[in-house]
Amino acid sequence: MKIIAYGMRDDEMPYLKQWSKDNGIEVKAIPDLLDDSTVDQAKGYDGAVVYQQKPYTASVLDKLASFGIKSLSLRNVGVDNIDADAIKRNGIKVTNVPAYSPNAIAELTATQLMRLLRKTNTFDRKIAHGDLRWAPDIADELDQMTVGVIATGRIGRKAINIYRGFGAKIVAYDIYHNPELEKEGIYVDTLDELYAQADVISLHSPATKENEHMLDDDAFSKMKDGVFILNPARGALIDTDALIRALDSGKVAGAALDVYENEVGIFNTDFGSFDAIPDERLKNLIKRENVLVTPHIAFYTKTAAKNMTQFALTSNVNLITKGTDESEVKF
Ligand code: COI
């Protein structure tokens, strides 16, 4: 059996080599992403393991299928960049890694919330200019606040545990209710109820056609004044222009964004200087003391890199040998 792994980073390679040795399976690893210019390299392989944020297009998926590759294993969780029609048309089976490290995402989200509440960004900037005064930058305490968690999958639940460790009250919204959380009575029936109660909104939902720009002008208008917004999930969940308006008006007191709706081709790129970042709205956000932008790094831990690589390879073998895997994604 032969597997090709696209878009392999140096930090993933030791985990791939270990898996290959442990399982006695040959894996060809290449740094290139899977697109029209690289798809031919998959000829002769039985399955492909991939990670990228740019789209898996119909033409690439058609070609993979024409080479007889019907087993595609993503090293990440999100499947919003896959052409679902092409997957179905070609009978390609897809797996993802739904739980490479929910903790990784939850930990960064909570870290950024604490940084926002304690205004560390403001103090860092003041100190850099020799200003060591306290006022007027007095903080809020999470212990006294209500966190509204949108989506209570694995990541949302990890985040809830961390927020609870700080003493926060939790309200949650999800179409699917987790039985344990249901017993605790933390679910509200509508997003509007969550908006009305939450001092902090923590987004943990996948991106779908239905929830694009879930946080728009209308949603912000229903939130408490001075709400904090945390988005480690998907950029498309927030209408960036509406967020900027809400920051300008003070409706939103601070935001931590690990994702951004136009991040593809921008995040994980070195532009050499701040001015060279080719996105004015993103620069507008980064410049603000009360906005913490990170370039989609919440997942980027050693535990996650190991699990993403090794779980995806194992799922790919299952697809190739058994035609299915517990992480198969239904389109
Ligand atoms: C995902 O797993 O879908 C993520 O968003 C993390 C990705 C950048 C590797």
Side-chain angles (χ1 to χ4, degrees):
M1 182 190 318
K2 287 164 70 188
I3 295 173
I4 183 163
Y6 280 91
M8 286 299 299
R9 304 186 308 267
D10 288 348
D11 54 76
E12 295 174 304
M13 283 307 294
Y15 307 123
L16 178 140
K17 285 185 183 149
Q18 186 63 51
W19 182 94
S20 186
K21 194 169 153 222
D22 292 348
N23 292 276
I25 295 174
E26 183 190 337
V27 183
K28 163 99 173 148
I30 60 171
D32 316 81
L33 304 180
L34 178 60
D35 61 20
D36 284 309
S37 67
T38 60
V39 66
D40 285 347
Q41 298 188 52
K43 263 187 204 158
Y45 288 89
D46 302 299
V49 166
V50 289
Y51 166 68
Q52 64 195 38
Q53 281 183 282
K54 70 178 194 173
Y56 298 99
T57 60
S59 76
V60 165
L61 297 169
D62 289 348
K63 272 204 184 156
L64 274 186
S66 76
F67 304 152
I69 299 181
K70 301 283 177 103
S71 303
L72 187 66
S73 295
L74 274 55
R75 301 199 291 285
N76 64 307
V77 59
V79 293
D80 42 309
N81 54 343
I82 299 189
D83 188 314
D85 292 334
I87 290 289
K88 287 189 266 188
R89 181 175 69 236
N90 286 298
I92 296 175
K93 302 227 172 196
V94 177
T95 58
N96 67 351
V97 185
Y100 48 79
S101 179
N103 207 47
I105 321 293
E107 280 187 9
L108 183 77
T109 315
T111 301
Q112 299 296 70
L113 173 58
M114 295 317 292
R115 289 187 63 212
L116 284 173
L117 297 183
R118 301 315 301 252
K119 305 191 181 190
T120 57
N121 202 25
T122 301
F123 281 104
D124 287 347
R125 291 186 193 196
K126 279 166 65 167
I127 289 169
H129 292 99
D131 181 354
L132 278 71
R133 291 172 299 174
W134 308 333
D137 299 303
I138 194 160
D140 294 298
E141 291 186 28
L142 186 51
D143 178 70
Q144 306 294 315
M145 301 172 92
T146 297
V147 182
V149 174
I150 298 183
T152 54
R154 293 177 180 87
I155 298 172
R157 296 202 299 277
K158 277 281 176 192
I160 288 173
N161 286 344
I162 298 177
Y163 299 142
R164 282 185 164 157
F166 282 97
K169 180 181 170 210
I170 308 293
V171 292
Y173 176 83
D174 201 321
I175 308 169
Y176 309 101
H177 286 191
N178 173 271
E180 291 305 311
L181 296 178
E182 175 84 6
K183 276 186 219 148
E184 294 166 22
I186 67 164
Y187 286 108
V188 288
D189 295 329
T190 62
L191 281 169
D192 286 3
E193 286 173 73
L194 183 138
Y195 297 153
Q197 292 181 41
D199 302 299
V200 176
I201 293 180
S202 195
L203 291 172
H204 301 287
S205 167
T208 62
K209 280 193 200 101
E210 292 71 37
N211 67 16
E212 187 176 355
H213 286 182
M214 168 193 263
L215 300 198
D216 57 8
D217 286 311
D218 182 52
F220 286 122
S221 75
K222 293 170 178 160
M223 294 176 195
K224 285 187 169 181
D225 290 338
V227 65
F228 291 89
I229 304 292
L230 311 173
N231 189 8
R234 281 293 180 265
L237 298 174
I238 298 183
D239 174 348
T240 306
D241 293 323
L243 174 64
I244 288 175
R245 284 189 285 274
L247 284 160
D248 284 342
S249 72
K251 169 59 89 173
V252 170
L257 310 172
D258 189 49
V259 289
Y260 168 59
E261 57 181 327
N262 296 334
E263 72 180 65
V264 178
I266 294 184
F267 281 2
N268 203 16
T269 304
D270 181 6
F271 292 102
S273 73
F274 179 79
D275 288 343
I277 298 172
D279 190 307
E280 293 310 314
R281 285 191 316 177
L282 182 61
K283 286 196 279 197
N284 173 324
L285 288 165
I286 296 172
K287 278 187 199 151
R288 296 168 188 258
E289 280 179 11
N290 59 345
V291 177
L292 303 175
V293 175
T294 43
H296 211 141
I297 56 159
F299 84 99
Y300 194 49
T301 67
K302 291 170 188 162
T303 304
K306 178 173 191 263
N307 290 343
M308 290 165 106
T309 306
Q310 299 190 341
F311 292 178
L313 285 163
T314 300
S315 293
N316 205 242
V317 171
N318 286 337
L319 286 184
I320 294 165
T321 57
K322 301 181 196 150
T324 187
D325 177 73
E326 61 181 7
S327 300
E328 190 175 337
V329 180
K330 298 288 178 209
F331 285 89

